[in-house]
Amino acid sequence: MTAVKAGRVNQGRVLQALHDLGPLSRADLARLTGVSRATIGSIVQPLLEGGLLVEGEPQRGAAPGGKPARPLWFAPDSPPLAAVHLVPGWVEAALVRADGGILAVASGRFRATAPAATVVDCVVDQLNAVLAGSTARALGVGIAVGGIVESTSGTIVACNLMPELSGLPLGPLVSERIGLPVHLDLHPRAQAIGDRWSGPGRGEQSFASIYIGEAIGAGLFLNGAIHCGPAGAGGEVGHTVVDIRGRTCRCGQRGCWETVATRDWLREEAARLRLPAARAMTTALLAGLSAAGDADARELFERYAHNIALGVVNLQQILAPGLFILHGDVTAGGEALRGRVERQARSRLPARSAAGPQITFGPAHDRTTLLGAAGLVLSRSFPLVG
Protein backbone atom coordinates (compact mmCIF):
# COMPACT_ATOMS: atom_id res chain seq x y z
CA MET A 1 0.00 0.00 0.00
CA THR A 2 1.44 3.39 -0.95
CA ALA A 3 1.97 6.06 1.70
CA VAL A 4 -0.76 8.24 0.13
CA LYS A 5 -3.27 5.40 0.06
CA ALA A 6 -2.37 4.37 3.62
CA GLY A 7 -2.90 7.95 4.76
CA ARG A 8 -6.35 8.10 3.16
CA VAL A 9 -7.32 4.78 4.74
CA ASN A 10 -6.19 6.04 8.15
CA GLN A 11 -8.21 9.21 7.62
CA GLY A 12 -11.15 6.98 6.80
CA ARG A 13 -10.66 5.12 10.08
CA VAL A 14 -10.67 8.42 11.95
CA LEU A 15 -13.88 9.59 10.26
CA GLN A 16 -15.59 6.26 10.86
CA ALA A 17 -14.60 6.29 14.54
CA LEU A 18 -16.10 9.77 14.89
CA HIS A 19 -19.31 8.68 13.15
CA ASP A 20 -19.52 5.62 15.40
CA LEU A 21 -18.65 7.16 18.74
CA GLY A 22 -19.03 10.91 18.55
CA PRO A 23 -16.39 13.56 19.45
CA LEU A 24 -13.05 11.98 20.34
CA SER A 25 -9.67 13.22 21.46
CA ARG A 26 -6.48 12.50 19.55
CA ALA A 27 -5.53 10.00 22.27
CA ASP A 28 -8.87 8.21 21.83
CA LEU A 29 -8.45 8.15 18.05
CA ALA A 30 -4.88 6.83 18.33
CA ARG A 31 -6.09 3.99 20.55
CA LEU A 32 -9.07 3.14 18.33
CA THR A 33 -7.16 3.21 15.05
CA GLY A 34 -4.05 1.49 16.39
CA VAL A 35 -1.56 4.21 15.47
CA SER A 36 0.77 6.33 17.57
CA ARG A 37 -0.12 9.75 18.99
CA ALA A 38 2.42 11.32 16.65
CA THR A 39 0.91 9.58 13.65
CA ILE A 40 -2.63 10.56 14.57
CA GLY A 41 -1.57 14.18 14.45
CA SER A 42 -0.39 13.86 10.85
CA ILE A 43 -3.64 12.04 9.97
CA VAL A 44 -6.05 14.61 11.39
CA GLN A 45 -4.16 17.80 10.51
CA PRO A 46 -5.19 17.81 6.81
CA LEU A 47 -8.80 17.18 7.87
CA LEU A 48 -8.61 20.20 10.19
CA GLU A 49 -6.95 22.38 7.57
CA GLY A 50 -9.51 21.29 4.97
CA GLY A 51 -12.36 22.38 7.22
CA LEU A 52 -13.86 18.91 7.60
CA LEU A 53 -13.05 18.61 11.31
CA VAL A 54 -12.84 21.14 14.12
CA GLU A 55 -11.38 21.05 17.63
CA GLY A 56 -13.74 21.44 20.56
CA GLU A 57 -13.18 23.20 23.85
CA PRO A 58 -10.41 21.71 26.02
CA GLN A 59 -11.63 19.01 28.40
CA ARG A 60 -9.48 18.01 31.34
CA GLY A 61 -8.78 14.28 31.52
CA ALA A 62 -9.02 12.02 34.52
CA ALA A 63 -5.25 11.98 35.07
CA PRO A 64 -4.21 14.77 37.46
CA GLY A 65 -1.98 17.35 35.85
CA GLY A 66 -2.61 16.03 32.38
CA LYS A 67 -2.93 18.36 29.42
CA PRO A 68 -6.61 19.05 28.63
CA ALA A 69 -7.76 17.13 25.56
CA ARG A 70 -9.53 18.89 22.70
CA PRO A 71 -12.11 16.55 21.18
CA LEU A 72 -12.39 16.48 17.42
CA TRP A 73 -15.74 16.60 15.63
CA PHE A 74 -17.15 17.47 12.24
CA ALA A 75 -17.09 21.21 11.62
CA PRO A 76 -20.59 22.72 11.43
CA ASP A 77 -19.50 24.71 8.39
CA SER A 78 -17.57 21.86 6.76
CA PRO A 79 -18.02 21.34 3.01
CA PRO A 80 -21.44 19.74 2.56
CA LEU A 81 -22.08 16.51 0.67
CA ALA A 82 -24.74 16.23 -2.04
CA ALA A 83 -26.72 13.02 -2.43
CA VAL A 84 -29.19 11.54 -4.91
CA HIS A 85 -31.43 8.48 -4.63
CA LEU A 86 -32.79 7.47 -8.04
CA VAL A 87 -35.60 4.92 -8.38
CA PRO A 88 -38.12 4.23 -11.16
CA GLY A 89 -40.23 7.36 -11.63
CA TRP A 90 -38.76 9.33 -8.75
CA VAL A 91 -35.58 11.08 -7.65
CA GLU A 92 -34.72 12.61 -4.29
CA ALA A 93 -31.72 14.82 -3.61
CA ALA A 94 -30.29 16.15 -0.37
CA LEU A 95 -27.53 18.33 0.95
CA VAL A 96 -25.93 16.66 3.97
CA ARG A 97 -23.43 17.74 6.61
CA ALA A 98 -20.43 15.55 7.25
CA ASP A 99 -21.94 14.55 10.60
CA GLY A 100 -25.06 13.22 8.83
CA GLY A 101 -27.36 16.16 9.42
CA ILE A 102 -29.65 16.88 6.44
CA LEU A 103 -29.60 20.53 5.37
CA ALA A 104 -32.00 20.48 2.41
CA VAL A 105 -34.11 18.00 0.45
CA ALA A 106 -35.79 18.18 -2.96
CA SER A 107 -37.63 15.55 -4.98
CA GLY A 108 -39.13 15.19 -8.43
CA ARG A 109 -41.07 12.65 -10.48
CA PHE A 110 -40.80 11.39 -14.03
CA ARG A 111 -42.42 8.64 -16.05
CA ALA A 112 -40.71 5.30 -15.42
CA THR A 113 -40.42 4.95 -19.20
CA ALA A 114 -39.11 8.50 -19.69
CA PRO A 115 -36.09 8.94 -21.99
CA ALA A 116 -32.68 9.14 -20.37
CA ALA A 117 -32.35 12.87 -21.06
CA THR A 118 -35.50 13.56 -19.02
CA VAL A 119 -34.15 11.58 -16.08
CA VAL A 120 -30.81 13.40 -16.21
CA ASP A 121 -32.68 16.73 -16.25
CA CYS A 122 -34.69 15.67 -13.20
CA VAL A 123 -31.57 14.66 -11.29
CA VAL A 124 -29.83 17.93 -12.12
CA ASP A 125 -32.89 20.00 -11.22
CA GLN A 126 -33.14 18.43 -7.76
CA LEU A 127 -29.42 18.85 -7.15
CA ASN A 128 -29.55 22.49 -8.17
CA ALA A 129 -32.47 22.99 -5.79
CA VAL A 130 -30.57 21.70 -2.75
CA LEU A 131 -27.26 23.32 -3.72
CA ALA A 132 -28.85 26.72 -4.25
CA GLY A 133 -29.27 27.41 -0.55
CA SER A 134 -25.65 26.69 0.38
CA THR A 135 -22.89 29.27 0.40
CA ALA A 136 -20.24 26.53 0.71
CA ARG A 137 -19.15 24.48 -2.28
CA ALA A 138 -20.13 20.83 -1.89
CA LEU A 139 -17.35 18.27 -1.65
CA GLY A 140 -19.06 16.15 -4.30
CA VAL A 141 -22.20 14.21 -5.19
CA GLY A 142 -23.08 10.59 -4.46
CA ILE A 143 -25.78 8.93 -6.59
CA ALA A 144 -27.43 5.69 -5.52
CA VAL A 145 -29.29 3.82 -8.26
CA GLY A 146 -30.74 0.34 -8.69
CA GLY A 147 -29.38 -1.91 -11.41
CA ILE A 148 -25.93 -2.98 -12.53
CA VAL A 149 -23.44 -0.15 -12.25
CA GLU A 150 -19.88 0.49 -13.37
CA SER A 151 -18.73 2.71 -10.54
CA THR A 152 -15.33 3.68 -11.93
CA SER A 153 -16.90 5.28 -15.02
CA GLY A 154 -20.16 6.32 -13.36
CA THR A 155 -22.24 4.31 -15.83
CA ILE A 156 -25.52 2.45 -15.36
CA VAL A 157 -24.71 -0.79 -17.20
CA ALA A 158 -28.21 -2.27 -17.06
CA CYS A 159 -31.43 -1.42 -15.25
CA ASN A 160 -34.36 -3.80 -15.65
CA LEU A 161 -36.84 -1.41 -14.03
CA MET A 162 -35.66 1.62 -16.00
CA PRO A 163 -34.40 0.13 -19.29
CA GLU A 164 -34.03 3.56 -20.89
CA LEU A 165 -31.12 4.18 -18.54
CA SER A 166 -29.13 1.08 -19.49
CA GLY A 167 -25.73 2.17 -20.76
CA LEU A 168 -26.18 5.75 -19.51
CA PRO A 169 -23.00 7.47 -18.22
CA LEU A 170 -25.03 9.24 -15.55
CA GLY A 171 -22.09 10.27 -13.38
CA PRO A 172 -20.16 12.17 -16.07
CA LEU A 173 -23.34 13.75 -17.48
CA VAL A 174 -24.39 15.11 -14.08
CA SER A 175 -20.84 16.15 -13.19
CA GLU A 176 -20.51 18.17 -16.39
CA ARG A 177 -23.71 20.10 -15.69
CA ILE A 178 -23.23 20.89 -12.00
CA GLY A 179 -19.44 21.22 -11.92
CA LEU A 180 -18.82 18.78 -9.07
CA PRO A 181 -17.28 15.31 -8.87
CA VAL A 182 -20.00 12.64 -8.98
CA HIS A 183 -19.74 9.14 -7.53
CA LEU A 184 -22.27 6.55 -8.73
CA ASP A 185 -22.94 3.27 -6.96
CA LEU A 186 -25.50 0.56 -6.37
CA HIS A 187 -28.49 1.62 -4.27
CA PRO A 188 -28.14 -1.17 -1.64
CA ARG A 189 -24.40 -0.53 -1.34
CA ALA A 190 -25.05 3.13 -0.58
CA GLN A 191 -27.80 1.97 1.78
CA ALA A 192 -25.23 -0.14 3.65
CA ILE A 193 -22.97 2.91 4.03
CA GLY A 194 -25.95 4.78 5.47
CA ASP A 195 -26.64 1.93 7.89
CA ARG A 196 -22.99 1.94 8.99
CA TRP A 197 -22.93 5.72 9.26
CA SER A 198 -26.08 6.33 11.24
CA GLY A 199 -28.29 3.22 11.29
CA PRO A 200 -28.41 -0.24 12.91
CA GLY A 201 -24.99 -1.06 11.43
CA ARG A 202 -23.28 1.69 13.40
CA GLY A 203 -20.25 0.22 15.14
CA GLU A 204 -20.77 -3.22 13.56
CA GLN A 205 -17.88 -4.91 11.77
CA SER A 206 -20.04 -7.12 9.53
CA PHE A 207 -23.65 -6.95 8.35
CA ALA A 208 -25.82 -7.24 5.24
CA SER A 209 -28.10 -4.36 4.27
CA ILE A 210 -30.88 -5.72 2.04
CA TYR A 211 -33.50 -3.80 0.08
CA ILE A 212 -36.72 -5.71 -0.64
CA GLY A 213 -39.41 -3.96 -2.65
CA GLU A 214 -39.89 -3.83 -6.41
CA ALA A 215 -36.47 -5.48 -6.62
CA ILE A 216 -33.94 -7.05 -4.23
CA GLY A 217 -30.35 -6.02 -3.69
CA ALA A 218 -27.75 -6.09 -0.93
CA GLY A 219 -24.88 -4.03 0.36
CA LEU A 220 -22.35 -6.00 2.39
CA PHE A 221 -20.16 -4.60 5.13
CA LEU A 222 -17.63 -7.31 5.93
CA ASN A 223 -14.78 -7.28 8.43
CA GLY A 224 -14.86 -3.51 8.76
CA ALA A 225 -15.15 -2.52 5.09
CA ILE A 226 -17.83 -2.18 2.46
CA HIS A 227 -17.58 -5.05 -0.01
CA CYS A 228 -17.34 -4.09 -3.65
CA GLY A 229 -16.27 -6.17 -6.62
CA PRO A 230 -14.22 -4.81 -9.53
CA ALA A 231 -15.72 -1.55 -10.85
CA GLY A 232 -18.73 -1.85 -8.55
CA ALA A 233 -19.71 -5.45 -9.29
CA GLY A 234 -21.66 -7.50 -6.79
CA GLY A 235 -24.71 -6.93 -4.64
CA GLU A 236 -27.20 -8.31 -7.17
CA VAL A 237 -28.47 -10.91 -4.71
CA GLY A 238 -31.97 -10.69 -6.15
CA HIS A 239 -30.67 -12.64 -9.12
CA THR A 240 -29.24 -15.51 -7.16
CA VAL A 241 -31.25 -18.63 -7.99
CA VAL A 242 -33.42 -20.15 -5.24
CA ASP A 243 -35.56 -22.43 -7.46
CA ILE A 244 -34.11 -23.86 -10.68
CA ARG A 245 -37.62 -24.72 -11.89
CA GLY A 246 -39.09 -21.39 -10.82
CA ARG A 247 -40.58 -18.51 -12.73
CA THR A 248 -38.69 -16.64 -15.42
CA CYS A 249 -37.12 -13.48 -14.03
CA ARG A 250 -36.79 -10.11 -15.75
CA CYS A 251 -33.09 -10.88 -16.11
CA GLY A 252 -33.81 -14.00 -18.20
CA GLN A 253 -32.90 -16.59 -15.55
CA ARG A 254 -35.39 -18.89 -13.88
CA GLY A 255 -36.09 -18.96 -10.17
CA CYS A 256 -34.23 -15.84 -9.03
CA TRP A 257 -34.85 -14.68 -5.46
CA GLU A 258 -36.68 -11.69 -6.97
CA THR A 259 -39.30 -14.02 -8.49
CA VAL A 260 -40.53 -15.13 -5.06
CA ALA A 261 -40.00 -12.25 -2.64
CA THR A 262 -40.72 -8.90 -4.34
CA ARG A 263 -43.82 -6.72 -4.26
CA ASP A 264 -44.90 -8.00 -7.69
CA TRP A 265 -44.78 -11.61 -6.50
CA LEU A 266 -46.80 -10.70 -3.41
CA ARG A 267 -49.52 -9.04 -5.50
CA GLU A 268 -49.66 -11.88 -8.01
CA GLU A 269 -50.11 -14.41 -5.22
CA ALA A 270 -52.69 -12.23 -3.49
CA ALA A 271 -54.67 -12.06 -6.74
CA ARG A 272 -54.47 -15.83 -7.17
CA LEU A 273 -55.85 -16.28 -3.65
CA ARG A 274 -58.52 -13.59 -4.31
CA LEU A 275 -57.48 -11.53 -1.32
CA PRO A 276 -59.01 -8.05 -0.89
CA ALA A 277 -57.19 -5.23 -2.74
CA ALA A 278 -54.82 -7.79 -4.27
CA ARG A 279 -53.53 -5.48 -7.01
CA ALA A 280 -52.50 -2.91 -4.41
CA MET A 281 -51.35 -5.46 -1.82
CA THR A 282 -48.65 -4.27 0.55
CA THR A 283 -46.78 -6.01 3.31
CA ALA A 284 -48.68 -3.91 5.85
CA LEU A 285 -52.07 -4.87 4.39
CA LEU A 286 -51.11 -8.54 4.27
CA ALA A 287 -49.92 -8.43 7.89
CA GLY A 288 -53.25 -6.90 8.89
CA LEU A 289 -55.31 -9.50 7.03
CA SER A 290 -53.23 -12.27 8.55
CA ALA A 291 -53.64 -10.89 12.07
CA ALA A 292 -57.39 -10.55 11.50
CA GLY A 293 -57.67 -14.29 10.90
CA ASP A 294 -57.86 -14.57 7.11
CA ALA A 295 -56.53 -18.09 6.50
CA ASP A 296 -55.32 -17.41 2.95
CA ALA A 297 -53.59 -14.22 4.04
CA ARG A 298 -51.92 -16.07 6.92
CA GLU A 299 -50.66 -18.76 4.53
CA LEU A 300 -49.29 -16.14 2.11
CA PHE A 301 -47.67 -14.24 4.99
CA GLU A 302 -45.86 -17.41 6.06
CA ARG A 303 -44.70 -18.12 2.50
CA TYR A 304 -43.49 -14.56 2.11
CA ALA A 305 -41.42 -14.87 5.30
CA HIS A 306 -40.11 -18.24 4.10
CA ASN A 307 -39.07 -16.81 0.72
CA ILE A 308 -37.28 -13.87 2.30
CA ALA A 309 -35.50 -16.26 4.68
CA LEU A 310 -34.22 -18.31 1.70
CA GLY A 311 -32.00 -15.48 0.54
CA VAL A 312 -30.92 -14.64 4.07
CA VAL A 313 -29.85 -18.26 4.63
CA ASN A 314 -27.79 -18.30 1.42
CA LEU A 315 -25.95 -15.12 2.39
CA GLN A 316 -25.36 -16.38 5.92
CA GLN A 317 -24.03 -19.72 4.68
CA ILE A 318 -21.58 -18.06 2.28
CA LEU A 319 -20.48 -14.89 4.11
CA ALA A 320 -21.89 -15.13 7.67
CA PRO A 321 -22.55 -11.40 8.15
CA GLY A 322 -24.68 -12.27 11.20
CA LEU A 323 -26.73 -9.08 11.19
CA PHE A 324 -29.26 -8.50 8.39
CA ILE A 325 -30.82 -5.04 8.09
CA LEU A 326 -33.89 -5.12 5.85
CA HIS A 327 -35.24 -2.03 4.10
CA GLY A 328 -38.05 -1.30 1.65
CA ASP A 329 -41.63 -2.56 1.49
CA VAL A 330 -40.79 -5.48 3.77
CA THR A 331 -40.45 -3.25 6.82
CA ALA A 332 -44.20 -2.52 6.83
CA GLY A 333 -44.74 -6.13 7.94
CA GLY A 334 -43.62 -5.09 11.42
CA GLU A 335 -42.53 -7.40 14.19
CA ALA A 336 -44.81 -10.20 12.97
CA LEU A 337 -42.83 -10.47 9.75
CA ARG A 338 -39.42 -9.71 11.23
CA GLY A 339 -39.80 -12.47 13.81
CA ARG A 340 -41.00 -14.99 11.23
CA VAL A 341 -38.09 -14.30 8.89
CA GLU A 342 -35.57 -14.60 11.72
CA ARG A 343 -37.07 -17.85 13.03
CA GLN A 344 -37.28 -19.41 9.59
CA ALA A 345 -33.73 -18.40 8.72
CA ARG A 346 -32.36 -19.83 11.96
CA SER A 347 -34.28 -23.08 11.52
CA ARG A 348 -32.63 -23.65 8.13
CA LEU A 349 -29.07 -23.17 9.30
CA PRO A 350 -26.84 -25.68 11.07
CA ALA A 351 -26.48 -25.18 14.80
CA ARG A 352 -23.25 -23.40 15.71
CA SER A 353 -21.71 -22.07 18.87
CA ALA A 354 -22.18 -18.53 17.59
CA ALA A 355 -25.66 -16.98 17.65
CA GLY A 356 -27.81 -17.40 14.56
CA PRO A 357 -28.55 -14.58 12.13
CA GLN A 358 -30.23 -11.52 13.58
CA ILE A 359 -32.89 -9.73 11.51
CA THR A 360 -33.69 -6.08 12.06
CA PHE A 361 -35.75 -3.62 10.02
CA GLY A 362 -34.68 -0.17 8.94
CA PRO A 363 -37.15 2.61 9.78
CA ALA A 364 -40.13 3.08 7.48
CA HIS A 365 -39.76 5.99 5.03
CA ASP A 366 -36.17 6.42 6.11
CA ARG A 367 -33.44 8.31 4.30
CA THR A 368 -30.71 5.76 4.90
CA THR A 369 -29.89 5.50 1.20
CA LEU A 370 -29.64 9.29 0.84
CA LEU A 371 -27.26 9.44 3.79
CA GLY A 372 -25.31 6.56 2.27
CA ALA A 373 -25.12 8.36 -1.07
CA ALA A 374 -23.62 11.33 0.79
CA GLY A 375 -21.31 8.87 2.51
CA LEU A 376 -20.15 7.72 -0.93
CA VAL A 377 -18.48 11.11 -1.31
CA LEU A 378 -16.59 10.65 1.94
CA SER A 379 -15.82 7.00 1.28
CA ARG A 380 -14.31 7.80 -2.13
CA SER A 381 -12.32 10.67 -0.66
CA PHE A 382 -11.35 8.81 2.53
CA PRO A 383 -12.00 5.02 2.46
CA LEU A 384 -14.35 4.39 5.38
CA VAL A 385 -13.27 1.26 7.22
CA GLY A 386 -13.85 0.08 10.76
Side-chain angles (χ1 to χ4, degrees):
M1 183 182 292
T2 66
V4 172
K5 185 175 181 180
R8 290 165 71 84
V9 168
N10 282 331
Q11 287 176 338
R13 289 195 176 102
V14 165
L15 296 179
Q16 190 65 70
L18 292 173
H19 273 299
D20 286 347
L21 302 172
L24 296 167
S25 69
R26 285 174 173 80
D28 291 332
L29 288 169
R31 175 175 52 82
L32 290 166
T33 57
V35 301
S36 68
R37 287 285 299 273
T39 301
I40 204 69
S42 65
I43 292 170
V44 303
Q45 192 59 36
L47 300 176
L48 290 165
E49 293 173 355
L52 190 61
L53 299 183
V54 66
E55 289 183 308
E57 292 297 320
Q59 296 182 355
R60 187 164 299 280
K67 184 179 179 180
R70 302 193 68 179
L72 300 171
W73 187 234
F74 297 97
D77 57 351
S78 64
L81 316 166
V84 172
H85 184 193
L86 176 61
V87 299
W90 179 75
V91 59
E92 187 173 29
L95 196 64
V96 183
R97 294 197 308 260
D99 65 358
I102 295 179
L103 300 169
V105 177
S107 62
R109 295 193 175 276
F110 55 88
R111 288 183 295 105
T113 56
T118 299
V119 178
V120 174
D121 287 343
C122 192
V123 170
V124 171
D125 288 346
Q126 308 322 309
L127 278 171
N128 283 333
V130 298
L131 292 169
S134 176
T135 56
R137 178 180 172 83
L139 192 62
V141 179
I143 300 179
V145 61
I148 300 173
V149 301
E150 214 283 356
S151 57
T152 52
S153 66
T155 299
I156 301 173
V157 177
C159 186
N160 291 327
L161 297 174
M162 294 184 287
E164 297 295 328
L165 303 190
S166 295
L168 179 71
L170 181 62
L173 289 173
V174 173
S175 180
E176 181 180 5
R177 291 180 56 180
I178 65 170
L180 291 170
V182 174
H183 309 284
L184 181 78
D185 214 332
L186 187 69
H187 157 200
R189 191 175 295 130
Q191 178 182 280
I193 293 174
D195 277 328
R196 180 68 164 91
W197 192 356
S198 60
R202 188 171 183 175
E204 298 289 339
Q205 288 300 294
S206 295
F207 63 87
S209 181
I210 304 176
Y211 176 82
I212 301 177
E214 73 283 357
I216 300 177
L220 301 168
F221 203 88
L222 302 173
N223 298 320
I226 191 75
H227 175 73
C228 183
E236 293 294 326
V237 298
H239 299 292
T240 55
V241 176
V242 296
D243 182 0
I244 60 173
R245 297 184 180 87
R247 304 178 185 184
T248 300
C249 182
R250 285 184 294 251
C251 73
Q253 292 193 114
R254 295 183 69 88
C256 292
W257 192 18
E258 282 194 6
T259 66
V260 297
T262 57
R263 185 172 57 209
D264 284 348
W265 174 85
L266 196 63
R267 290 176 175 174
E268 289 169 9
E269 290 299 295
R272 186 181 63 79
L273 294 169
R274 301 182 184 277
L275 293 178
R279 295 192 178 196
M281 182 60 66
T282 64
T283 310
L285 178 56
L286 181 63
L289 290 170
S290 175
D294 187 305
D296 287 335
R298 188 183 304 115
E299 184 270 339
L300 180 56
F301 200 49
E302 291 289 344
R303 277 198 293 135
Y304 186 45
H306 166 269
N307 291 352
I308 293 170
L310 284 177
V312 168
V313 167
N314 287 339
L315 283 171
Q316 180 67 12
Q317 289 281 46
I318 297 168
L319 298 169
L323 174 62
F324 292 81
I325 306 167
L326 307 190
H327 294 263
D329 296 354
V330 66
T331 63
E335 176 58 25
L337 183 59
R338 189 212 65 80
R340 280 173 169 82
V341 173
E342 186 172 86
R343 286 192 297 274
Q344 294 211 31
R346 290 183 175 184
S347 71
R348 286 167 172 77
L349 286 164
R352 294 184 181 277
S353 56
Q358 176 188 351
I359 307 295
T360 190
F361 283 173
H365 311 297
D366 68 318
R367 286 178 167 151
T368 301
T369 301
L370 264 182
L371 290 174
L376 283 173
V377 180
L378 281 182
S379 68
R380 298 292 166 82
S381 303
F382 316 98
L384 299 185
V385 295

